[in-house]
């Protein structure tokens, strides 16, 4: 069996953007397949007692995060703008991603266009018209926008989040290989090595 | 002027152990001088509303940290045991480190023996007799133990912490080059490159 890495990401997460833009190339080099698993940080953070992003709850950490992202994106030649507002509401985007997965079309392509719309171009990804443009840019059918709000897809996102909690995830991006957890874009390479060595 | 990196560490911090054991070799390769700046996370965490380590406040994060440390130490051939209790009280150890700095003797050597006593051998670093052994193992004078509790050294640690807060630090290890902050052992190499390029 080909080694597989589960990639857990939130579409409104800055550090998830970093991983989303490089994970496929990094995985291909090691012969690892990536399963993209969108989830929501909101419920995860709420369980930790936070009503919003820890980057707002803890201002020193927030100031640092913006500078850290700026430096990392510059090093990687990735465009970067601060979304306004931050954090954005990634609920509809996550549902569309799951609808794309359920339809067997290219979910990663959609996710990358969402990250680019948000972090390269400064669009608000809670806006359905922005997401419609993202679907179009990714070459995916416009109907996924309606499919995203069906009870099946809503339930599928709830299950996804329950699975994340059951695994012990507490932030994004995270990478899992069976019960082994790796947290943060800084651990992507280690996680891929682990996946490659596991099978 | 030779490029300089400020290394901010807490003697009871797991990830600071990782950096302390490799920073001098990594800095030497790049011609960077390291200034060791011990400080206390307790007051920093208290300002964020935590009465103890975030690894205890947020259990999922705590479980992850132990596993992450275990994997990283295995990769680096560093011994690692979980201190009991955790976190340890690093106050006296930090004062001794500052006393060593004030006396112009080898503070880094003392700090490394403290990290090894705690994370390799499982000793309690709040115990003065353990710290006396660390001083001896580092080849430093036993009198530093008494010097550590003078008003001058106590005040010097308070100033050190105030400086950390003024710089915007919120965790350890951190590395600074003037006002530029790098947080976490994962950023050590980037911080050293920054220091080397700055002078």
């Amino acid at each position: 069996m080909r080694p597989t890495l589960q990639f857990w990401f939130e579409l409104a997460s800055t550090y998830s953007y970093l991983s989303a833009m490089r994970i496929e190339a990094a995985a291909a080099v090691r012969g690892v397949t990536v399963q993209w698993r969108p989830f929501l940080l909101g419920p995860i953070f709420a369980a930790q007692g936070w009503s919003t992003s820890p980057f707002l709850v803890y201002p020193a950490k927030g100031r640092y995060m913006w500078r850290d992202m700026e430096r990392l994106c510059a090093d990687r030649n990735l465009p970067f703008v601060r979304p306004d507002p931050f954090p954005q509401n990634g609920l509809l985007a996550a549902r569309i991603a799951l609808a794309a997965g359920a339809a067997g079309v290219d979910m990663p392509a959609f996710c990358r266009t969402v990250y680019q719309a948000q972090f390269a171009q400064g669009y608000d990804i809670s806006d359905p018209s922005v997401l419609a443009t993202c679907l179009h840019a990714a070459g995916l059918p416009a109907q996924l926008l309606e499919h995203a709000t069906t009870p099946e897809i809503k339930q599928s996102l709830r299950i996804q989040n329950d699975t994340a909690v059951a695994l012990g995830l507490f932030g994004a991006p995270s990478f899992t290989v069976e019960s082994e957890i790796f947290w943060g874009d800084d651990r992507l390479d280690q996680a891929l090595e682990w996946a490659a060595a596991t099978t």
Side-chain angles (χ1 to χ4, degrees), chain A residues 90-124:
Chain A
L91 173 64
L92 182 56
R95 286 175 174 165
I96 296 174
L98 285 178
V105 296
D106 193 347
M107 182 215 283
F110 169 71
C111 295
R112 283 186 295 263
T113 64
V114 172
Y115 282 122
Q116 285 167 321
Q118 181 182 199
F119 293 116
Q121 289 138 24
Y123 287 108
D124 184 342

Side-chain angles (χ1 to χ4, degrees), chain A residues 37-67:
Chain A
R37 311 279 306 254
F39 73 122
L40 297 179
L41 286 178
I44 305 275
F45 290 161
Q48 294 175 39
W50 304 326
S51 59
T52 181
S53 164
F55 297 127
L56 299 185
V57 178
Y58 305 111
K61 206 164 189 167
R63 280 189 294 275
Y64 174 76
M65 181 275 287
W66 293 117
R67 180 64 183 137

